[in-house]
Amino acid sequence: MDKVSSRTSGDPEKVQDRSSVSSGSPVTARDVDPALEKRIWRKMDLYILPVVTLFYLLSFLDRSNIGNARVAGLQSNLKMTNKQYSIALTVTYVPYIAAELPSNLLLKAVGPNLMLPTMLTLWGIVTTLQGVVKSYHGLLACRFFLGLFEGGVFPGLVLYLSFFYPRQKLQWRVSAFFSAASISGAFSGLLAFGIINMKGVGGRPGWAWIFILEGLFTVVFGVLSYFLLPRSPAHARFLSSDEKDYVVAALKRDGATGKNDTVDSFSWREVGEAFKLPQVWMLAVMFFFDGTILYGLAYFTPSIVQSLGYTASRAQLMSVPPFATAFVVSMAGAFISDRYRCRGLVTIFASVLAVIGFAMFLKSTKHKIQYASLFFSITGTYLAAPSLSTWSANNAAPYTRRATAIAIGFIMTNSGGILATWLLGSLSPAPHYTLATRVLLSFAVIMGVLAGLNTWYLWDQNKKKEVIRSSSTIDQEKPGLGDRSAWFVYAL
């Protein structure tokens, strides 16, 4: 962001250099020394990020561990066909998608410190119950409620972090918690390898214990998180009065929030405005493509590895390294994206990695090369997701418009998840997954093209805003423009 935008980006009604959320004196950027600023963001990272990261790790683990359970005998024990397995996965996404927009709009009104822990605890209970089901229909019921309680988590966490961090500090933090998805992919394989050895304990199969143990941990952490999550920077007990003032002032200067950005500022007009933003729809298509790839790999990587000739237990272990690699690369990509403000270029690079991976899997018949391809496809997919999430949160304002834009993206992501459950389940069977690989390859290509197009569009809009800023003042601009304000510079 250039010098003009760093001082005045955002809705003109919301641009301020001062804030007084607590009883302390108003704080401006000029009043804060670099050491204080560094201490503030370090505190935020130490108190907020670990909790949010564990939230998403448990969320992704509890949703995707059915893939590990399948390899461990779930499908055969419940006498399920491939079609029925795909239906069980699809059932998760219907309430999941339906819950995303309402939960994001309610998040600030209810309070994220209450809403997020409640969702976490409830889906932990449902995850545990999956371990005691005796039939296919019992599994369907559990998957439905898992999706209902978990649906608002990822968009809610992205929105929640935007309450605390300025736009150009956001992707590294989003990647930090989203990296939990790649960690969970690695962690679930290790857990499943150990847990399936509990086969027979309590008269239950090994796959049941995967659900029971992981679900119980989620419930325990869900209860603890009521005491760990602050509602907002103004309610953060680990910040001093001056530090609270500084954080809120920094968010207002950045355009991420503002003095009227409260629960009372909600309006259906702002919900509708989000649907009119071209960048929201270009990102929505990319979310759909990346969601299809991401959930396909999350649910089916153990099965893909097993189809390469490995035993069930060995397949659990062999699924770990690609996800571990994805974690390292996604964190490095996030640092570069925040440091050089290049969301679009990182997304394009991620799509190139995915294209390489799917091309290798499609063209080679050697199992070692097909396994190696997972390092590219999984890494590219898990690098793209936090970039898209941050890009969406960065380029919509005020709060209701941003909440809606984020929710649209994740509705599309999980719609892609529905396609993935059928594409790699019934429509494109193991071991070659030929149709699925071709579709996912084309999705990765188009995602890269759209990332370039969206980058160009936002750059062009910024140039037009620069012309307006050079010939007028912020006081001459009508209020309520949000991200359309000439003083709101889009993140590229």
Side-chain angles (χ1 to χ4, degrees):
M1 196 179 297
D2 58 27
K3 292 181 180 179
V4 173
S5 64
S6 66
R7 292 194 304 268
T8 56
S9 68
D11 186 336
E13 279 193 313
K14 304 177 184 307
V15 176
Q16 291 187 341
D17 279 336
R18 296 181 180 272
S19 176
S20 54
V21 290
S22 63
S23 58
S25 303
V27 179
T28 71
R30 294 178 294 274
D31 297 329
V32 181
D33 62 77
L36 175 60
E37 182 178 19
K38 184 177 180 180
R39 184 173 73 247
I40 289 170
W41 301 124
R42 184 167 58 243
K43 277 187 178 183
M44 301 272 272
D45 291 343
L46 289 174
Y47 283 89
I48 300 290
L49 275 187
V51 180
V52 169
T53 300
L54 196 50
F55 254 72
Y56 194 63
L57 186 148
L58 295 175
S59 164
F60 207 86
L61 187 67
D62 291 344
R63 190 171 359 123
S64 61
N65 58 11
I66 190 172
N68 301 101
R70 182 194 193 193
V71 172
L74 165 71
Q75 186 169 339
S76 58
N77 283 178
L78 296 185
K79 299 179 174 59
M80 295 163 55
T81 64
N82 286 342
K83 181 179 179 180
Q84 288 176 318
Y85 179 74
S86 294
I87 292 173
L89 297 182
T90 303
V91 162
T92 309
Y93 286 103
V94 176
Y96 200 105
I97 292 169
E100 287 181 305
L101 180 55
S103 66
N104 243 27
L105 295 178
L106 287 171
L107 187 72
K108 204 169 185 181
V110 175
N113 57 315
L114 298 176
M115 191 167 176
L116 292 172
T118 299
M119 290 192 291
L120 178 65
T121 304
L122 290 175
W123 92 60
I125 293 171
V126 175
T127 299
T128 306
L129 292 177
Q130 286 181 114
V132 300
V133 297
K134 300 291 187 182
S135 67
Y136 166 63
H137 292 96
L139 180 65
L140 287 183
C142 286
R143 298 303 294 184
F144 176 87
F145 285 103
L146 186 70
L148 181 65
F149 295 137
E150 197 184 330
V153 173
F154 194 8
L157 290 175
V158 173
L159 186 60
Y160 179 66
L161 286 182
S162 75
F163 296 168
F164 289 84
Y165 293 98
R167 291 187 296 158
Q168 296 300 342
K169 293 183 181 293
L170 190 58
Q171 182 168 343
W172 192 90
R173 276 77 184 184
V174 171
S175 289
F177 89 77
F178 186 81
S179 65
S182 50
I183 292 174
S184 75
F187 192 49
S188 63
L190 290 172
L191 276 178
F193 178 75
I195 293 174
I196 58 177
N197 293 322
M198 294 179 65
K199 180 179 180 181
V201 176
R204 302 195 179 282
W207 62 262
W209 284 107
I210 293 175
F211 292 130
I212 293 170
L213 293 181
E214 293 176 6
L216 287 175
F217 183 83
T218 299
V219 172
V220 171
F221 185 74
V223 174
L224 288 175
S225 63
Y226 283 104
F227 306 98
L228 298 175
L229 279 182
R231 183 184 181 107
S232 69
H235 296 85
R237 288 174 291 182
F238 55 86
L239 294 177
S240 69
S241 175
D242 286 345
E243 289 170 342
K244 292 176 184 179
D245 289 340
Y246 171 77
V247 172
V248 177
L251 290 169
K252 289 179 179 178
R253 286 191 305 273
D254 181 67
T257 186
K259 66 178 181 179
N260 296 323
D261 194 10
T262 64
V263 175
D264 295 333
S265 68
F266 171 81
S267 72
W268 286 109
R269 177 185 174 277
E270 286 298 337
V271 174
E273 287 297 315
F275 282 87
K276 299 177 183 179
L277 298 174
Q279 68 267 27
V280 167
W281 288 108
M282 282 187 277
L283 283 167
V285 177
M286 287 185 273
F287 272 115
F288 177 79
F289 289 159
D290 194 58
T292 304
I293 302 170
L294 188 147
Y295 286 120
L297 293 172
Y299 284 128
F300 291 95
T301 291
S303 299
I304 292 170
V305 175
Q306 187 179 28
S307 72
L308 299 179
Y310 298 99
T311 63
S313 58
R314 182 71 174 172
Q316 306 283 14
L317 286 178
M318 294 293 286
S319 65
V320 174
F323 286 101
T325 303
F327 165 72
V328 175
V329 174
S330 66
M331 293 306 298
F335 173 80
I336 293 170
S337 178
D338 277 349
R339 176 69 177 80
Y340 298 102
R341 301 168 183 176
C342 54
R343 315 288 189 223
L345 290 178
V346 170
T347 305
I348 292 169
F349 177 71
S351 69
V352 170
L353 290 179
V355 167
I356 293 172
F358 290 122
M360 289 171 61
F361 192 91
L362 182 64
K363 292 300 182 180
S364 179
T365 57
K366 295 181 179 179
H367 288 173
K368 288 185 178 179
I369 293 179
Q370 289 182 317
Y371 175 70
S373 75
L374 296 175
F375 285 83
F376 289 92
S377 55
I378 291 174
T379 298
T381 305
Y382 281 75
L383 172 61
S387 297
L388 294 174
S389 304
T390 311
W391 216 3
S392 177
N394 280 172
N395 290 327
Y399 166 76
T400 300
R401 200 182 300 178
R402 184 169 72 248
T404 306
I406 293 171
I408 290 171
F410 289 107
I411 287 171
M412 295 298 288
T413 297
N414 290 296
S415 297
I418 293 177
L419 175 58
T421 61
W422 291 93
L423 193 58
L424 286 96
S426 301
L427 299 178
S428 187
H432 301 298
Y433 299 99
T434 303
L435 174 62
T437 305
R438 287 174 177 168
V439 171
L440 298 181
L441 174 61
S442 65
F443 281 8
V445 171
I446 300 171
M447 187 170 68
V449 172
L450 283 173
L453 182 61
N454 192 48
T455 302
W456 174 84
Y457 170 76
L458 295 172
W459 173 84
D460 183 62
Q461 292 299 302
N462 282 344
K463 297 299 287 184
K464 292 176 180 177
K465 290 183 177 189
E466 187 177 354
V467 172
I468 296 172
R469 291 198 303 271
S470 66
S471 59
S472 64
T473 65
I474 193 170
D475 294 330
Q476 294 175 298
E477 189 175 63
K478 68 178 182 179
L481 292 178
D483 55 83
R484 291 192 178 95
S485 165
W487 278 263
F488 186 104
V489 179
Y490 289 121
L492 304 182

